[in-house]
Amino acid sequence: MTQIHQMTSAALSTADLIAARRPGHALPRDLYCGEQAYRDDLDQIWYREWLFAGPSCELPKTGSYLTMQVGDYPVIVTRGADGRIRAFHNVCRHRGQRLCASANGTNPKLVCPYHQWTYDLDGKLLFARDMGAGFDPSKYSLKPVHCIDLKGMVFICLAQIPPAINELAGQLMRYAAPSGLADAKVAFSSTIIEKGNWKLVMENNRECYHCGGSHPSLCRTYSDDPLMTVMEGPNAASPEILAHWARCDAAGLPSRFVNAPDMQWRMARVPLMDDQESFTLSGKAAVARRMGEMPWNDAGSLMFYHFPSTWNHFLPDHAIVFRILPVSPMETQVTTNWLVHKDAVEGVDYDLETLTRVWLNTNDEDRQVVEENQAGILSPAYEPGPYSPSQEAGVIHLIDWYCGLMGSRLAQRMAAE
Ligand code: 3BY
Ligand code: FES
Ligand code: FE
């Protein structure tokens, strides 16, 4: 029975697989490992949605840049002399060289390594040697990519016309304002590759059903009891969370659950277990200098996710920002940045081991879970099982969002063909 099902499903299109999926259940195998589903995910989601690029403090000065590979598109994000952050296709307008190979750095100008065409930080071609009398450099600016800095959280979008971002922008800027992200610095950065489809990485992040079995260090401070962490609205949560929100309201700290109607994003501030301060082994703050205007050490975590590319924890003493990017059907890059107040001094106000231990452990534990999940799904005997409605509501939100968007966009594509 299972075998026959698998043989037929191998021939199905992504649209057919999505139409045939069982709501409330994990996805069919080919959506987690197939080349076609991967191409469709890139075309319909990764090339069309807003994606988290990084915190703006990763680009602290004029000429600071970061690069990211979104499917087939190399992108560079850089801060101009006017302080503005812009994104460009990381492709030279001469013969197409990738302009910048490193993940991070600082350049006064963007100089192509092949024949040294030289671009200003706003993308204008400043200099191209021996191109003849009729050559018009103004026709060869770098191609721009949409880019927006939401008070310290930088997003890009590869689409010609990006989806609306005003609702998210307003809420995120309001919620994250007390964290002073633009006045932070990157204390530590880690990039790992998980051998699993990007949806498995995001699914894993959206539930804590696995936390007790996998995350001994995170579970010291983050409760895996869904009653403690699940919220359904600005006034619908556990008594403990409601009490935390009331206290935060009184201090002017935006905290209540807010979400996109399709659950593409959500933010809410929740207390840590037993009012502990931070994701450290001791539960105490890792950084002596608080972020931004945060009023107390025990304000909990402002949690923010945005599909498909990011989840975040904004704590009183530091912030941890995560970015995922698909690398291949069964590989995903996960970049984590630990942010602290820009005036906090390493060795005086914090030490990196204390700051990073819990989430370095947690990321590695999640990597193992995701890789074993992928390995099991690759079996022809795999059959999508049901999600727990209480423990895995966040995964259901992710998969419903994914199937809804893919279903309608693939139908539009077929109609246009
Ligand atoms: O990092 C997170 O936001 C999620 C929440 C539940 C599991 N994981 C720790
Ligand atoms: Fe960039 Fe030639 S390809 S200068
Ligand atoms: Fe986890």
Side-chain angles (χ1 to χ4, degrees):
M1 188 62 188
T2 307
Q3 294 263 326
I4 292 163
H5 173 74
Q6 283 305 333
M7 280 167 64
T8 42
S9 76
L12 294 177
S13 69
T14 305
D16 292 338
L17 287 164
I18 285 172
R21 68 119 185 177
R22 278 178 84 180
H25 287 64
L27 294 172
R29 175 181 189 259
D30 285 355
L31 292 179
Y32 292 122
C33 40
E35 186 66 38
Q36 188 54 53
Y38 180 68
R39 297 304 319 174
D40 288 333
D41 284 0
L42 289 177
D43 288 344
Q44 307 304 334
I45 293 195
W46 291 89
Y47 297 166
R48 296 180 65 168
E49 293 302 308
W50 285 99
L51 308 176
F52 180 54
S56 68
C57 65
E58 195 179 339
L59 309 173
K61 41 184 202 255
T62 300
S64 300
Y65 68 86
L66 66 87
T67 63
M68 57 198 282
Q69 184 75 27
V70 185
D72 292 336
Y73 293 93
V75 174
I76 182 163
V77 185
T78 186
R79 191 185 285 276
D82 55 0
R84 204 177 128 191
I85 295 175
R86 297 176 180 82
F88 303 100
H89 289 282
N90 187 8
V91 178
C92 182
R93 295 297 309 277
H94 178 219
R95 282 167 54 199
Q97 203 77 354
R98 190 164 64 160
L99 279 176
C100 223
S102 33
N104 274 286
T106 306
N107 271 331
K109 301 275 182 278
L110 300 170
V111 183
C112 178
Y114 203 172
H115 314 97
Q116 292 74 48
W117 279 29
T118 300
Y119 302 87
D120 209 344
L121 299 170
D122 64 5
K124 268 200 231 44
L125 179 61
L126 290 175
F127 177 72
R129 186 161 44 98
D130 297 335
M131 289 307 296
F135 179 74
D136 179 359
S138 72
K139 296 212 163 66
Y140 298 96
S141 296
L142 293 179
K143 291 193 175 175
V145 170
H146 295 283
C147 181
I148 187 165
D149 176 0
L150 303 178
K151 282 226 176 90
M153 296 288 281
V154 180
F155 286 78
I156 63 157
C157 180
L158 287 164
Q160 297 281 353
I161 302 170
I165 196 170
N166 28 354
E167 175 67 14
L168 168 66
Q171 297 287 15
L172 181 57
M173 290 195 286
R174 191 161 73 83
Y175 273 63
S179 293
L181 297 177
D183 290 320
K185 66 176 177 182
V186 177
F188 192 74
S189 182
S190 118
T191 295
I192 60 173
I193 300 288
E194 300 190 10
K195 293 197 202 87
N197 183 267
W198 70 270
K199 297 186 288 297
L200 296 178
V201 174
M202 191 50 98
E203 282 190 24
N204 170 264
N205 178 262
R206 291 292 86 232
E207 48 93 355
C208 220
Y209 199 19
H210 70 281
C211 291
S214 295
H215 297 317
S217 44
L218 182 68
C219 282
R220 288 167 175 237
T221 49
Y222 189 90
S223 173
D224 69 347
D225 177 353
L227 291 176
M228 305 288 278
T229 51
V230 169
M231 301 146 284
E232 276 161 16
N235 299 301
S238 68
E240 190 191 7
I241 295 176
L242 289 174
H244 190 69
W245 288 346
R247 178 172 173 238
C248 292
D249 285 349
L253 212 52
S255 299
R256 288 177 190 267
F257 180 100
V258 58
N259 64 290
D262 64 358
M263 292 308 283
Q264 182 175 20
W265 55 266
R266 181 229 57 201
M267 53 197 95
R269 197 182 308 270
V270 297
L272 303 196
M273 217 161 57
D274 305 322
D275 294 322
Q276 294 180 90
E277 297 174 351
S278 198
F279 293 138
T280 53
L281 291 176
S282 69
K284 294 273 171 221
V287 189
R289 182 87 163 78
R290 274 201 293 268
M291 298 280 285
E293 308 285 305
M294 290 303 297
W296 328 290
N297 276 4
D298 60 351
S301 172
L302 168 59
M303 304 190 300
F304 162 58
Y305 77 69
H306 182 270
F307 300 148
S309 69
T310 186
W311 64 86
N312 305 270
H313 290 279
F314 304 112
L315 297 151
D317 68 322
H318 72 280
I320 334 163
V321 297
F322 299 81
R323 180 188 77 192
I324 71 168
L325 289 169
V327 173
S328 74
M330 289 180 276
E331 286 172 299
T332 304
Q333 182 197 60
V334 180
T335 298
T336 309
N337 276 298
W338 283 261
L339 313 182
V340 301
H341 193 287
K342 68 175 175 356
D343 298 332
V345 179
E346 188 188 340
V348 178
D349 298 307
Y350 66 97
D351 74 85
L352 284 182
E353 171 60 23
T354 309
L355 177 68
T356 58
R357 179 47 47 206
V358 168
W359 271 97
L360 283 177
N361 290 357
T362 303
N363 281 346
D364 194 52
E365 291 149 2
D366 282 329
R367 179 188 59 72
Q368 292 176 49
V369 169
V370 165
E371 291 183 353
E372 290 303 308
N373 194 184
Q374 184 74 69
I377 288 173
L378 272 172
S379 167
Y382 163 74
E383 204 176 310
Y387 296 124
S388 157
S390 57
Q391 293 271 6
E392 293 170 303
V395 187
I396 296 173
H397 291 148
L398 166 65
I399 294 304
D400 286 353
W401 167 80
Y402 169 78
C403 290
L405 201 58
M406 289 294 283
S408 66
R409 287 185 178 169
L410 289 169
Q412 279 165 23
R413 187 178 71 181
M414 276 188 294
E417 276 167 8

